[in-house]
Amino acid sequence: MEDWRRILADSIVKPKDLAEHLGVDPREIEAVVGNYPMRITPTVLATIKEKGDAIWKQVVPDAVELDDLDAEDDPLEEDVMSPVPHLVHRYPDRVLLMVTNQCPIYCRFCTRKRLVGKPGFLKKGELDRAIAYLREHTEVRDVILSGGDPLLLPDSLLERVLKALRSIPHIELIRIGTRVPGSLPERITPRLCELLKKYHPLYMNLHFNHPDELTPAVKAACGLLADAGVPLGAQTVLLKGVNDDPAVMKRLVHQLLLARVKPYYLYQADLTKGTNHFRTTVETGMAIIRELQGHTSGMGVPHFVIDAPGGGGKIPVLPQDYLVHLDEDGAVLKNYEQKTYHYPQPQKNGRRELPMVGAPSSGCGNGVFDEA
């Protein structure tokens, strides 16, 4: 057995094990685990500092999960948009292929709480149906492997999927969504990296929610992937009591950049049954983006998005006060310092005016310039 599989097998999956390691009363979570499985890897367990901290809240079951009765199991209507089993076709040119229901850890806020934890991987017949669908739909150029976590597939099965996708001429990009580097870094082996290099262009979106997740071992795993030529992005879910603080989010994006991971999406929490206690207001996310913009590297500022209920897809949300006014003459803009500026629209006479409203920038200031 490979080292990473042995480590995964040492994960906490039963309430009595959680009681032994973290002092949780197993009676308080038995019913929760019966509905929504638990798995906490040794890596994640080691990052828990105290009861109720940011890591604890993400992985330790809570009885409040069973109080959320009115929400939908599948608020994004993925099942409705699944033309063949395990494949979701929501956007015109890209699809989601769910290759397993297994994860290294089971996040308590997971969008797919209805699915994750069930045994087994994508069967050959199921993969064949998905590949047949993709061959027929030549508009699809981008396939995202998800689940569950694709990197829990053994190397041989993962390569079977990648090889099948690369046999389709119109598939340009393959992306993998994974929590593995941050929760089971031992899985990122030189052998895996050599496998992935054979199927470029291949991208990965890694899931990180708190700076404490970026341990030295995790950063080393990200480095192996980056050295294999895999561009790395990070998807973060905005979670109450975990990262709904601008200072925490700034620390997170800084640690991600140090790990060679580009912050990509900051998600407003989905309306999934059993997760309502994690939701923040939309204004919280907007305020965080406002605090990041201009106060850290631009490449460290993620897109704040809401995955619209009912299958509407990801909708970007920007702080509304950046654009104060827009008309045919120009745009009135407010920067991160709350200073206001005017950007002129192109003029028919080939000249442009650059009046600044409010404090001028450190550049050329006001003036009229001929178009070059």
Side-chain angles (χ1 to χ4, degrees):
M1 183 184 292
E2 293 180 85
D3 288 344
W4 68 269
R5 291 189 183 183
R6 283 196 292 269
I7 293 167
L8 184 64
D10 289 336
S11 299
I12 293 175
V13 296
K14 298 178 180 179
K16 65 180 182 64
D17 297 329
L18 195 63
E20 179 182 337
H21 286 87
L22 295 178
V24 175
D25 185 345
R27 295 169 296 182
E28 294 180 358
I29 63 168
E30 283 174 352
V32 182
V33 174
N35 284 271
Y36 306 122
M38 168 181 62
R39 181 185 279 158
I40 306 173
T41 63
T43 293
V44 174
L45 181 66
T47 59
I48 296 176
K49 298 175 182 177
E50 61 184 8
K51 182 176 181 179
D53 70 10
I55 310 300
W56 175 296
K57 287 181 178 179
Q58 292 185 65
V59 296
V60 175
D62 191 322
V64 73
E65 294 176 43
L66 300 179
D67 295 337
D68 187 11
L69 301 176
D70 298 328
E72 299 289 334
D73 287 323
D74 181 20
L76 305 182
E77 296 191 357
E78 290 181 329
D79 294 343
V80 176
M81 299 180 182
S82 180
V84 297
H86 307 286
L87 189 144
V88 178
H89 194 171
R90 178 189 299 176
Y91 299 101
D93 68 335
R94 52 206 182 277
V95 301
L96 190 74
L97 180 59
M98 292 183 280
V99 296
T100 178
N101 289 321
Q102 293 288 303
C103 293
I105 59 175
Y106 293 117
C107 303
R108 310 320 303 173
F109 52 87
C110 182
T111 296
R112 300 193 184 114
K113 282 177 82 89
R114 71 192 189 279
L115 297 175
V116 295
K118 297 177 182 178
F121 305 120
L122 188 70
K123 297 180 177 63
K124 184 180 184 303
E126 295 167 335
L127 176 61
D128 290 344
R129 288 188 65 184
I131 294 300
Y133 177 88
L134 293 173
R135 287 191 189 282
E136 294 174 2
H137 288 263
T138 56
E139 74 275 17
V140 177
R141 49 175 287 278
D142 185 355
V143 176
I144 303 158
L145 301 185
S146 187
D149 199 306
L151 293 190
L152 284 195
L153 269 64
D155 289 350
S156 59
L157 293 184
L158 180 60
E159 183 155 31
R160 179 188 298 173
V161 174
L162 295 174
K163 189 174 183 179
L165 291 173
R166 279 285 170 241
S167 73
I168 304 173
H170 57 268
I171 300 299
E172 298 173 356
L173 305 178
I174 299 174
R175 289 187 275 169
I176 296 176
T178 179
R179 190 79 145 121
V180 158
S183 58
L184 188 64
E186 298 84 1
R187 172 66 180 106
I188 310 303
T189 63
R191 179 180 173 184
L192 173 65
C193 291
E194 287 301 313
L195 185 161
L196 296 173
K197 286 167 67 174
K198 293 160 57 178
Y199 297 98
H200 281 312
L202 186 148
Y203 294 73
M204 278 194 188
N205 281 329
L206 315 182
H207 186 158
F208 290 103
N209 295 318
H210 192 273
D212 287 354
E213 298 170 30
L214 277 296
T215 65
V218 168
K219 288 181 178 178
C222 294
L224 285 175
L225 291 169
D227 287 345
V230 180
L232 304 175
Q235 298 192 152
T236 297
V237 182
L238 183 58
L239 301 168
K240 186 176 182 180
V242 173
N243 56 18
D244 57 336
D245 179 293
V248 171
M249 197 64 71
K250 185 184 288 188
R251 283 174 49 216
L252 172 60
V253 301
H254 287 176
Q255 289 302 310
L256 288 170
L257 292 176
L258 287 172
R260 302 160 69 182
V261 181
K262 166 73 174 73
Y264 180 43
Y265 279 141
L266 173 61
Y267 281 100
Q268 179 73 10
D270 291 329
L271 302 174
T272 307
K273 182 182 291 186
T275 69
N276 187 60
H277 57 293
F278 283 108
R279 290 205 302 129
T280 68
T281 64
V282 174
E283 288 88 346
T284 299
M286 294 170 63
I288 287 172
I289 297 299
R290 189 180 296 112
E291 288 296 315
L292 291 177
Q293 188 71 50
H295 293 278
T296 192
S297 310
M299 61 183 175
V301 182
H303 300 286
F304 178 43
V305 297
I306 298 176
D307 215 339
K314 300 177 188 68
I315 300 173
V317 181
L318 293 172
Q320 297 300 306
D321 55 0
Y322 287 145
L323 180 62
V324 178
H325 179 75
L326 178 66
D327 59 26
E328 62 182 10
D329 293 324
V332 179
L333 308 166
K334 188 177 290 185
N335 77 347
Y336 73 101
E337 296 175 307
Q338 299 301 298
K339 295 177 181 178
T340 307
Y341 299 86
H342 178 263
Y343 177 87
Q345 298 275 34
Q347 301 298 310
K348 292 181 179 180
N349 61 10
R351 296 169 65 84
R352 58 191 174 105
E353 296 184 0
L354 297 177
M356 294 297 185
V357 181
S361 70
S362 58
C364 57
N366 298 340
V368 178
F369 298 87
D370 289 323
E371 291 283 6

